[in-house]
Amino acid sequence: MPKALTILFTILTLTTYGQVDNEQNFTHSDYPPAKYLVKADTFEFNEYTIALTQAKLRDYTTYDSTAAFCRIWLTVKKGDTVIDTLFINDCEAVGGCSGIYVSDEQTRNDYFILSKFGDYDGRILIIDISGKIKSCIGGSYYLSADNTYLFSPYNSDLSGLTVYDLSKNKVLFSTDTIRPYLADFYYLNNTYFAVVSNDVKQLNQTEIATFDFETNTLILSTVANAYIEKAKPLKGYNMFTYVPCACGQTK
């Protein structure tokens, strides 16, 4: 490689690295209060410190190529050592919520669970005892009563679902290609199922999607409404049906 070209390549490489590094490290001076509303949260999880910073543009008319509607930094540290990070350059609400949210109730001491909304690409973020961040399609989530199984429907214009076995730290099912849109989740007779969201209601009947743990698939069926009434609803987290939810804000 000619010397001049080598020098140019080195300069471009250093410049590119500097741009990425600057973006992925939050600096207060880059997000002045007059322009951005910054929400910074810190959570303790076992031996880790989880830092979540979200910068929301106050006035969308000031948006330009260097701005962001919602920029997010998620960092997991053990002491001074960074274990894992997640950086979202711009998270747009696109008609719904935006940002990363943490339920006040973390039901297990071996997992820390967060929900990401926006960009037509909701995610369920699961941090395990290794401190690593696992990201799957999802958003809001439901937990079985024994805190073993997590069900997270895809927050998107697509229909999808992630099913996670917390006892085995394993994804059982995760896809955005299922046909039905899923609503609330229930438990009855050792089975877990979701009600299928249909525009047209059937008289005295409801379509459901039952998760088969032997095949790790969804099985569609139609049941009498009395079947739903006998089932126990699973508790939902980060549902945000009626509250403002922009870039981590709930006010």
Side-chain angles (χ1 to χ4, degrees), residues 187-249:
Y187 174 78
L188 180 65
N189 299 332
N190 294 319
T191 62
Y192 294 92
F193 66 90
V195 171
V196 173
S197 179
N198 286 319
D199 293 332
V200 180
K201 301 295 182 181
Q202 302 180 55
L203 183 63
N204 299 322
Q205 290 185 319
T206 302
E207 189 177 10
I208 64 172
T210 302
F211 188 74
D212 185 335
F213 286 93
E214 291 187 4
T215 60
N216 289 336
T217 58
L218 284 174
I219 299 174
L220 296 178
S221 62
T222 300
V223 299
N225 290 346
Y227 184 85
I228 310 294
E229 294 168 1
K230 290 188 297 184
K232 183 176 181 179
L234 300 192
K235 185 173 181 179
Y237 298 82
N238 296 338
M239 306 306 290
F240 299 119
T241 306
Y242 298 109
V243 301
C245 46
C247 201
Q249 304 288 331

Side-chain angles (χ1 to χ4, degrees), residues 67-89:
F69 292 114
C70 176
R71 189 162 287 164
I72 306 171
W73 299 258
L74 177 64
T75 304
V76 182
K77 297 178 70 174
K78 181 179 179 181
D80 294 329
T81 303
V82 175
I83 304 301
D84 207 355
T85 62
L86 175 67
F87 172 69
I88 302 175
N89 183 60

Side-chain angles (χ1 to χ4, degrees), residues 24-241:
Q24 296 191 4
N25 289 275
F26 177 76
T27 304
H28 279 281
S29 59
D30 292 338
Y31 300 89
K35 188 172 182 178
Y36 285 94
L37 179 62
V38 176
K39 187 175 188 293
D41 297 294
T42 302
F43 310 94
E44 298 301 324
F45 168 58
N46 290 334
E47 56 191 342
Y48 305 107
T49 299
I50 301 171
L52 174 60
T53 303
Q54 306 184 77
K56 176 181 180 292
L57 192 66
R58 290 182 181 274
D59 182 2
Y60 285 5
T61 63
T62 63
Y63 183 82
D64 56 40
S65 60
T66 62
F69 292 114
C70 176
R71 189 162 287 164
I72 306 171
W73 299 258
L74 177 64
T75 304
V76 182
K77 297 178 70 174
K78 181 179 179 181
D80 294 329
T81 303
V82 175
I83 304 301
D84 207 355
T85 62
L86 175 67
F87 172 69
I88 302 175
N89 183 60
D90 203 353
C91 182
E92 295 188 49
V94 287
C97 295
S98 66
I100 293 178
Y101 292 83
V102 179
S103 171
D104 292 335
E105 184 180 356
Q106 295 291 325
T107 60
R108 297 182 60 125
N109 58 17
D110 51 349
Y111 293 97
F112 194 87
I113 302 172
L114 313 91
S115 300
K116 178 262 180 183
F117 301 94
D119 304 320
Y120 295 118
D121 184 32
R123 313 295 292 183
I124 185 75
L125 306 174
I126 300 174
I127 303 173
D128 61 20
I129 55 175
S130 71
K132 293 295 185 178
I133 304 168
K134 186 174 291 184
S135 174
C136 302
I137 64 170
S140 302
Y141 61 98
Y142 300 81
L143 290 176
S144 61
D146 60 0
N147 292 320
T148 296
Y149 300 112
L150 177 151
F151 303 87
S152 186
Y154 194 21
N155 184 256
S156 175
D157 55 346
L158 300 174
S159 180
L161 174 69
T162 289
V163 180
Y164 201 96
D165 187 334
L166 296 168
S167 68
K168 298 178 180 178
N169 196 12
K170 181 181 179 181
V171 175
L172 301 180
F173 181 87
S174 189
T175 182
D176 62 358
T177 60
I178 62 176
R179 179 183 66 79
Y181 287 88
L182 305 179
D184 296 333
F185 280 74
Y186 296 83
Y187 174 78
L188 180 65
N189 299 332
N190 294 319
T191 62
Y192 294 92
F193 66 90
V195 171
V196 173
S197 179
N198 286 319
D199 293 332
V200 180
K201 301 295 182 181
Q202 302 180 55
L203 183 63
N204 299 322
Q205 290 185 319
T206 302
E207 189 177 10
I208 64 172
T210 302
F211 188 74
D212 185 335
F213 286 93
E214 291 187 4
T215 60
N216 289 336
T217 58
L218 284 174
I219 299 174
L220 296 178
S221 62
T222 300
V223 299
N225 290 346
Y227 184 85
I228 310 294
E229 294 168 1
K230 290 188 297 184
K232 183 176 181 179
L234 300 192
K235 185 173 181 179
Y237 298 82
N238 296 338
M239 306 306 290
F240 299 119
T241 306

